[in-house]
């Protein structure tokens, strides 16, 4: 039954619907890589790409999986650092943008699918050596977030490093929300504008529970560094 009880008391964000409202060439706007409505400066994008390359130790022989890849505007900047690439995203629209602008088969491919469905069904998970989830993890539902870390650890056995970037830090939510105080419900909601906020301790518990070790970092001076962090997940030494 639907009714007042189902109404959420926080603003909601659906990336697919949101991206469709923007011009086809507003690639950074479509994935909300903006500050005060304007696309972030290209120097910030370069620093994000550098952090991903360095964190993952991307090498020419790598096969890279990017979950929650959006329209591929960020992914394609990594194409020259790996041998093959698959980007997966829930949004049919964003994947259509990625396919029309950046796909180059057979090596660089995009697929429209939800993260957990894809991770459960990928027929040859062992082909991937590195994985990325940039700016997307907070938008996975809590069960999907936990299950995706388990599936990546258990099925994608050759993925040595997993870079999960731009995570909203619950300890610093007040540094982002300077003009209003979000409800507890909003901070825990994957379909809110920022997604689920987690402390580093909470994130580490989630990652450790799936088998991963974690190292945290951030890019000083990055437009979002005052309220977000990056996490590099790696397999424990035997
Ligand atoms: C902020 S965008 C980031 C896109 C890209 N990684 C980037 O950094 O430019 C967040 C993306 O997460 C995707 N997403 C949200 N929930 C998802 C899910 N359950 N499975 C796959 N993708 C999801 C959205 O469709 C959206 O494209």
């Amino acid at each position: 039954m639907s009714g007042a009880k189902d109404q959420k008391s926080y603003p909601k964000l659906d990336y697919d619907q949101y991206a469709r409202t923007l011009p086809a060439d507003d690639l950074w706007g479509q994935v909300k890589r903006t500050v005060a409505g304007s696309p972030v400066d290209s120097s910030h994008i370069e620093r994000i790409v550098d952090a991903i390359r360095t964190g993952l130790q991307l090498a020419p022989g790598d096969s890279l999986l990017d979950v929650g890849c959006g329209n591929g505007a960020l992914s394609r900047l990594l194409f020259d650092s790996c041998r093959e690439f698959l980007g997966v995203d829930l949004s049919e629209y964003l994947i259509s943008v990625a396919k029309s602008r950046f796909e180059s088969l057979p090596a660089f491919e995009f697929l429209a699918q939800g993260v957990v469905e894809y991770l459960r069904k990928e027929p040859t998970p062992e082909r991937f050596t590195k994985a990325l989830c940039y700016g997307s993890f907070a938008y996975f539902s809590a069960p999907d977030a936990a299950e995706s870390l388990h599936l990546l650890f258990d099925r994608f056995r050759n993925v040595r490093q997993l870079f999960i970037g731009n995570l909203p830090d619950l300890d610093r939510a007040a540094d982002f929300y300077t003009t209003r105080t979000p409800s507890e419900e909003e901070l825990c909601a994957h379909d809110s504008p920022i997604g689920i906020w987690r402390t580093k301790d909470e994130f580490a518990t989630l990652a450790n529970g799936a088998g991963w070790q974690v190292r945290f970092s951030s890019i000083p001076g990055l437009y979002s560094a005052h309220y977000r962090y990056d996490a590099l997940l790696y397999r424990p030494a035997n």
Side-chain angles (χ1 to χ4, degrees):
M1 215 173 94
S2 65
K5 233 169 89 178
D6 295 334
Q7 305 249 323
K8 303 238 170 81
S9 60
Y10 55 84
K12 288 180 77 174
L13 172 65
D14 177 317
Y15 264 98
D16 187 88
Q17 285 174 25
Y18 174 76
R20 289 172 196 264
T21 66
L22 295 179
D25 61 355
D26 186 1
L27 297 176
W28 295 125
Q30 290 166 13
V31 292
K32 284 190 160 271
R33 188 131 306 120
T34 54
V35 174
S38 299
V40 301
D41 192 86
S42 61
S43 65
H44 289 259
I45 303 293
E46 283 163 23
R47 294 169 72 196
I48 292 170
V49 171
D50 269 359
I52 295 170
R53 278 201 196 110
T54 307
L56 288 179
Q57 298 177 284
L58 271 181
D62 276 326
S63 180
L64 176 63
L65 172 66
D66 184 358
V67 289
C69 64
N71 58 15
L74 187 68
S75 322
R76 56 90 193 248
L77 300 173
L78 298 163
F79 285 2
D80 63 1
S81 305
C82 59
R83 181 172 53 84
E84 56 174 19
F85 170 92
L86 175 66
V88 180
D89 197 282
L90 185 61
S91 164
E92 297 270 352
Y93 177 71
L94 288 170
I95 286 295
S96 74
V97 174
K99 280 184 177 289
S100 65
R101 288 177 180 259
F102 307 124
E103 190 166 72
S104 174
L105 296 174
F108 303 98
E109 187 182 1
F110 291 93
L111 174 72
Q113 205 164 31
V115 59
V116 165
E117 187 186 0
Y118 163 74
L119 294 172
R120 280 184 192 153
K121 291 185 177 167
E122 164 58 51
T124 52
E126 63 284 350
R127 70 189 159 115
F128 294 103
T129 54
K130 305 279 167 67
L132 171 65
C133 180
Y134 197 88
S136 306
F137 191 80
Y139 298 111
F140 301 165
S141 69
D144 278 8
E147 188 171 354
S148 52
L149 294 182
H150 277 278
L151 286 165
L152 281 159
F153 192 85
D154 295 339
R155 291 197 77 227
F156 292 67
R157 300 298 301 176
N158 293 320
V159 167
R160 309 306 308 168
Q161 284 108 334
L162 162 58
F163 189 99
I164 303 191
N166 225 23
L167 288 157
D169 186 348
L170 186 56
D171 284 331
R172 294 182 295 158
D175 295 339
F176 175 75
Y177 288 111
T178 53
T179 57
R180 71 177 177 96
T181 304
S183 64
E184 285 293 316
E185 187 189 12
E186 177 171 352
L187 295 171
C188 299
H190 73 98
D191 56 354
S192 66
I194 304 291
I196 301 177
W197 294 71
R198 292 182 176 90
T199 64
K200 288 181 182 171
D201 281 351
E202 284 171 346
F203 184 86
T205 300
L206 195 58
N208 295 158
W212 299 100
Q213 300 285 294
V214 191
R215 204 158 54 228
F216 294 107
S217 61
S218 59
I219 307 173
L222 195 75
Y223 70 99
S224 56
H226 58 296
Y227 70 99
R228 290 184 184 267
Y229 58 87
D230 296 331
L232 182 72
L233 278 59
Y234 55 99
R235 292 179 188 273
N238 291 326

